[in-house]
Amino acid sequence: MILRLLTQNVEPEFRYTGGGLPKGGVMIVALVLLYFLPSMLAFAGGKRRKWKIVAVNVLVGWTLVGWIVSMVMNWAYEAPANDDGIADTP
């Protein structure tokens, strides 16, 4: 009797039938946006060194240190440009 109960195929009461966006897809999109956040901020802020920030972000951003470096590059002081477009150097 007990063996028969254990070997019976018991159907679950609720089955996921799909529909909507899977939670995994939302998480992947959120993580990709977070990964490229320093690059997006560089372009949105109009930084002159945006391509350097993108390079650091893409090449070593997968390490936490590389991502933090690219974020610090965003926040670092940027000398204003002269009238000729060349930055002042101290």
Side-chain angles (χ1 to χ4, degrees):
M1 176 80 170
I2 295 174
L3 186 58
R4 187 182 320 156
L5 289 174
L6 291 175
T7 58
Q8 264 183 334
N9 289 334
V10 179
E11 293 292 323
E13 292 181 21
F14 174 75
R15 222 180 234 181
Y16 180 69
T17 58
L21 187 63
K23 293 176 187 170
V26 172
M27 188 61 120
I28 289 172
V29 169
L31 288 175
V32 167
L33 289 175
L34 183 66
Y35 179 82
F36 287 108
L37 182 66
S39 299
M40 291 186 288
L41 290 175
F43 275 93
K47 302 283 185 183
R48 284 181 292 148
R49 57 178 164 233
K50 61 185 161 214
W51 291 111
K52 292 178 185 176
I53 294 170
V54 169
V56 170
N57 189 211
V58 169
L59 297 176
V60 291
W62 58 272
T63 65
L64 184 61
V65 174
W67 190 87
I68 291 171
V69 166
S70 60
M71 198 58 117
V72 168
M73 287 173 68
N74 258 323
W75 293 331
Y77 175 73
E78 195 171 276
N82 287 338
D83 291 335
D84 57 0
I86 300 172
D88 291 331
T89 54

